[in-house]
Amino acid sequence: MASLLAAVLPLALGAAVSPTLLALQLLVLTGSTRRMARAWALAAGAALVLAGFMVLCATVLARLVTHHGRTSTTGAVVALGAAALLIGLAARTLLHRPEPGATQRSALGDRLATAPTGWFVGAGALGMATNLSTLVLVLPAMHEITRSDAGTGAQVAAAVLLYVVTLLPVLVPVVGVVLLGARADGVLASAHGWVTRNSRRIAAGVELAFAAYLTVKGVRQLP
């Protein structure tokens, strides 16, 4: 079990680095209208999509293991494929020229101010569904779980670890508000500004770092 968790945890931590989802959750929590209800709705939407994606991965990868066995070649293909996708995402992140940050925040803030609470479930779901770097890292993590010869209990524990860690960007801020109340407001505002200013560099850095990690991992698994 320890070796399985050691293989899954780095990928889970990489998947958890989601500047877009974190910035959105921080924007919701720095608002003044039903912020807690909206924040939990956002987290629920993201959680639902992640759960569905993990179930899909488990189903497809379990069939792959059934047909091809727990071969290192299959693991190499998954790792190297994920690495290639991450390199592509990093290139897109670095080459894309977004709108000025102030313009983006103003437009999004105007939409959020008048949106019903239920809308935030969809916003969280869309945020997770389009968070490709996170999903790309969840895929090889799920492959590690499905191909492991650890018992069912260990596989479930690893999947739960992956699930919870990946959701930290939408869970930690709202839990912080629950625990700290108004004392968290200043921290949330500062964190939102920092994440918004540095989101592209954070995303590209994580994508390139884990592309290198998965490339090394995949090459080592080649026969």
Side-chain angles (χ1 to χ4, degrees):
M1 178 174 178
S3 60
L4 174 58
L5 294 179
V8 170
L9 183 58
L11 296 169
L13 291 172
V17 182
S18 174
T20 301
L21 273 175
L22 178 58
L24 182 57
Q25 185 68 297
L26 291 172
L27 182 60
V28 170
L29 287 170
T30 52
S32 58
T33 306
R34 300 187 301 277
R35 65 175 187 167
M36 292 304 293
R38 290 175 165 189
W40 283 118
L42 183 79
L48 287 171
V49 169
L50 179 60
F53 183 72
M54 288 177 63
V55 169
L56 177 63
C57 287
T59 303
V60 173
L61 292 170
R63 291 179 180 175
L64 191 65
V65 169
T66 299
H67 289 294
H68 300 284
R70 296 180 173 89
T71 65
S72 61
T73 302
T74 304
V77 169
V78 172
L80 293 174
L85 289 172
L86 288 172
I87 291 171
L89 290 172
R92 188 190 68 171
T93 299
L94 293 171
L95 295 175
H96 177 62
R97 296 183 179 276
E99 295 178 60
T103 302
Q104 278 189 320
R105 289 194 296 274
S106 177
L108 184 56
D110 290 344
R111 292 180 186 177
L112 296 182
T114 57
T117 300
W119 182 88
F120 289 81
V121 176
L126 181 62
M128 180 60 77
T130 57
N131 194 7
L132 298 181
S133 61
T134 290
L135 299 181
V136 167
L137 286 169
V138 168
L139 175 61
M142 287 301 299
H143 184 255
E144 292 288 348
I145 294 170
T146 55
R147 75 171 185 156
S148 172
D149 56 6
T152 302
Q155 290 178 317
V156 170
V160 170
L161 174 71
L162 174 62
Y163 185 70
V164 173
V165 172
T166 302
L167 288 174
L168 288 180
V170 291
L171 292 179
V172 169
V174 70
V175 171
V177 174
V178 170
L179 295 177
L180 300 176
R183 289 175 293 172
D185 291 351
V187 175
L188 292 173
S190 298
H192 179 249
W194 186 85
V195 171
T196 301
R197 290 192 301 272
N198 296 283
S199 60
R200 293 179 68 206
R201 279 175 286 185
I202 295 169
V206 170
E207 288 158 358
L208 290 173
F210 277 91
Y213 171 79
L214 288 168
T215 298
V216 172
K217 188 180 182 71
V219 168
R220 286 179 175 176
Q221 293 181 80
L222 288 172

